Amino acid sequence: MLYHVIRRALFELTPETAHTVALAAVRALRWYPFGSGLTQTGKPVELMGLSFPNRVGLAAGFDKNAVAVDGLFALGFGHIEVGTVTPRAQAGNPKPRLFRVSERAALINRMGFPNEGAQQAAARIRGRRGRQILGVNIGKNATTPAERAVDDYVACLRAVHAVSDYVTVNVSSPNTKGLRDLQETQNLAPLLTALLEEAHGLGKANSRRVPLLLKLAPDLTDDELRAIAILLRALPLDGVIATNTTVSHAGLESLPHADEAGGVSGAPLRPRSLEVVRTLRNELGATMTIIGVGGIMCAADAQAMRAAGADLVQIYTGLIYRGPGLVRELAQLSK
Ligand SMILES: Cc1cc2nc3c(=O)[nH]c(=O)nc-3n(C[C@H](O)[C@H](O)[C@H](O)COP(=O)(O)O)c2cc1C
């Protein structure tokens, strides 16, 4: 009810300004008393050697620089994924680069990984108050040539390994030229092999094992998904996050902003994300962790994602349209 009023005010602002304001407000919640109330909502689940207090997490991109982690946990999330971070700070694409398509409960973004760099995020994470499960999503700088991409991911992993509970390898954002080519198995295999090797070494040095997950695009064909699944099982990787935003603007035709370049998130993405999760679960078997994300706007959507094979769910666009009430609604889902 209250969020309706807040949302009306936020939606008067440009989407990116609204985001800055909302993030600052959530950051102020960091003094919320930990270990009580919302942070305890839900039923715990063990995955990848981690104990998640509930099955709902915040998807990457909302808190790119880890500025509001403690406040975000106060909303009731069981885990938070920060980033995408890149080795060096970068400005991202020119503004405007984020658009609402409210008629379809969707967003279009072409942010292009604006962030302050992996080291800066790591320093902030080190200073947080709580110790809840925090993932860091890593990527490559826009100016790094494709043949040096592995170096960027390895540099990010080194920067965040000691402070993250899991690390997500993001090869699926549509707004960094060439990034999605890393999903091709001939590129993905050397990338993931290098990261697993590095994680092994860092694990010994830091006396902690940090699971590695891969975040995939919804625009892969089923054949491409199957090829990736074979690789992930062979390595093996700890888990998959499906999906990132889609380049398909189907369903948005003739609405304001529908023609803006960028990835679509929110309700229109849901059917394909569900399908991708279902395919991956079939191909990956029962044990590999799958985090389902894409268009989850209510408890029934989360349940459908669970039924498709996801162990955990994440939200981003749902939080913008439904507010923090959605986090509690999803966290209370018992299974
Ligand atoms: C404004 C915006 C920025 C995003 N930035 C990132 C990012 O930096 N890294 C990433 O892996 N995903 C990013 N995403 C994708 C989300 O994490 C998520 O995969 C996608 O939005 C689908 O979920 P949703 O429909 O619940 O929003 C971003 C999404 C939005 C809307």
Side-chain angles (χ1 to χ4, degrees), residues 60-67 81-90 112-125 134-142 144 149 151-161 163-164 166-171 173 176 179:
F62 190 90
D63 188 1
K64 289 176 184 288
N65 296 303
V67 296
E81 188 167 317
V82 299
T84 298
V85 295
T86 55
R88 298 171 304 285
Q90 63 178 27
F113 297 162
N115 79 104
E116 295 170 18
Q119 298 282 0
Q120 176 69 294
R124 287 229 182 77
I125 295 167
L134 185 122
V136 182
N137 181 305
I138 61 173
K140 71 178 264 300
N141 280 108
T144 302
D151 298 347
D152 271 18
Y153 286 90
V154 168
C156 286
L157 181 61
R158 281 190 193 135
V160 304
H161 185 274
V163 297
S164 48
Y166 72 83
V167 168
T168 302
V169 183
N170 181 10
V171 287
S173 288
T176 296
L179 193 86

Side-chain angles (χ1 to χ4, degrees), residues 16 64 90-99 109-115 142-143 173-177 261-263:
E16 199 162 341
K64 289 176 184 288
Q90 63 178 27
N93 289 323
K95 296 178 187 175
R97 53 193 179 179
L98 175 58
F99 308 88
N109 93 82
R110 52 170 181 266
M111 303 296 287
F113 297 162
N115 79 104
T143 52
S173 288
N175 305 310
T176 296
K177 202 170 154 280

Side-chain angles (χ1 to χ4, degrees), residues 59-62 64 81 83-84 98 107 109 111 113 137 170 172-173 215 243-245 265-267 269 293-296 314-318:
F62 190 90
K64 289 176 184 288
E81 188 167 317
T84 298
L98 175 58
L107 296 171
N109 93 82
M111 303 296 287
F113 297 162
N137 181 305
N170 181 10
S172 49
S173 288
K215 186 163 178 180
T243 67
N244 216 310
T245 56
S265 60
L269 173 58
V293 51
I296 296 175
Q314 291 181 340
I315 58 169
Y316 186 139
T317 307

Side-chain angles (χ1 to χ4, degrees), residues 20-83:
T20 307
V21 169
L23 200 61
V26 173
R27 186 165 186 267
L29 291 176
R30 68 189 180 282
W31 303 111
Y32 189 89
F34 290 97
S36 66
L38 298 181
T39 51
Q40 301 264 301
T41 308
K43 207 170 158 188
V45 53
E46 294 282 329
L47 293 162
M48 306 181 291
L50 299 168
S51 183
F52 291 82
N54 61 49
R55 294 186 189 264
V56 56
L58 178 66
F62 190 90
D63 188 1
K64 289 176 184 288
N65 296 303
V67 296
V69 171
D70 286 322
L72 285 163
F73 275 116
L75 299 182
F77 285 109
H79 71 280
I80 304 282
E81 188 167 317
V82 299

Side-chain angles (χ1 to χ4, degrees), residues 24-335:
V26 173
R27 186 165 186 267
L29 291 176
R30 68 189 180 282
W31 303 111
Y32 189 89
F34 290 97
S36 66
L38 298 181
T39 51
Q40 301 264 301
T41 308
K43 207 170 158 188
V45 53
E46 294 282 329
L47 293 162
M48 306 181 291
L50 299 168
S51 183
F52 291 82
N54 61 49
R55 294 186 189 264
V56 56
L58 178 66
F62 190 90
D63 188 1
K64 289 176 184 288
N65 296 303
V67 296
V69 171
D70 286 322
L72 285 163
F73 275 116
L75 299 182
F77 285 109
H79 71 280
I80 304 282
E81 188 167 317
V82 299
T84 298
V85 295
T86 55
R88 298 171 304 285
Q90 63 178 27
N93 289 323
K95 296 178 187 175
R97 53 193 179 179
L98 175 58
F99 308 88
R100 298 182 197 103
V101 188
S102 303
E103 296 84 348
R104 295 285 182 275
L107 296 171
I108 299 175
N109 93 82
R110 52 170 181 266
M111 303 296 287
F113 297 162
N115 79 104
E116 295 170 18
Q119 298 282 0
Q120 176 69 294
R124 287 229 182 77
I125 295 167
R126 220 169 270 121
R128 71 188 169 128
R129 294 179 68 212
R131 284 289 164 262
Q132 300 97 328
I133 296 178
L134 185 122
V136 182
N137 181 305
I138 61 173
K140 71 178 264 300
N141 280 108
T143 52
T144 302
E147 61 275 16
R148 304 301 300 269
V150 175
D151 298 347
D152 271 18
Y153 286 90
V154 168
C156 286
L157 181 61
R158 281 190 193 135
V160 304
H161 185 274
V163 297
S164 48
D165 295 303
Y166 72 83
V167 168
T168 302
V169 183
N170 181 10
V171 287
S172 49
S173 288
N175 305 310
T176 296
K177 202 170 154 280
L179 193 86
R180 286 183 165 197
D181 296 344
L182 294 170
Q183 294 178 125
E184 291 165 21
T185 46
Q186 76 270 19
N187 299 327
L188 195 55
L191 171 64
L192 294 179
T193 305
L195 287 170
L196 283 167
E197 244 175 66
E198 188 68 28
H200 186 69
L202 289 166
K204 279 191 181 158
N206 295 335
S207 306
R208 65 202 306 265
R209 200 186 100 77
V210 176
L212 282 186
L213 290 89
L214 180 70
K215 186 163 178 180
L216 292 172
D219 306 311
L220 294 160
T221 65
D222 288 353
D223 282 347
E224 288 168 330
L225 282 173
R226 278 185 209 106
I228 292 171
I230 290 169
L231 174 66
L232 299 184
R233 283 179 76 145
L235 287 168
L237 215 69
D238 294 279
V240 187
I241 304 185
T243 67
N244 216 310
T245 56
T246 176
V247 293
S248 161
H249 289 208
L252 304 183
E253 293 87 356
S254 72
L255 290 168
H257 306 303
D259 295 336
E260 294 290 350
V264 174
S265 60
L269 173 58
R270 183 171 58 240
R272 182 58 190 157
S273 293
L274 271 174
E275 228 171 71
V276 170
V277 167
R278 199 171 293 120
T279 303
L280 286 171
R281 179 52 81 203
N282 281 339
E283 299 298 323
L284 291 171
T287 51
M288 195 177 292
T289 297
I290 299 179
I291 303 182
V293 51
I296 296 175
M297 314 301 277
C298 65
D301 296 342
Q303 263 156 344
M305 193 57 102
R306 289 271 297 127
D311 300 293
L312 303 172
V313 299
Q314 291 181 340
I315 58 169
Y316 186 139
T317 307
L319 186 64
I320 308 299
Y321 283 97
R322 295 278 324 279
L326 178 60
V327 186
R328 293 193 292 280
E329 194 178 312
L330 302 186
Q332 278 156 5
L333 289 178
S334 60
K335 293 200 89 191

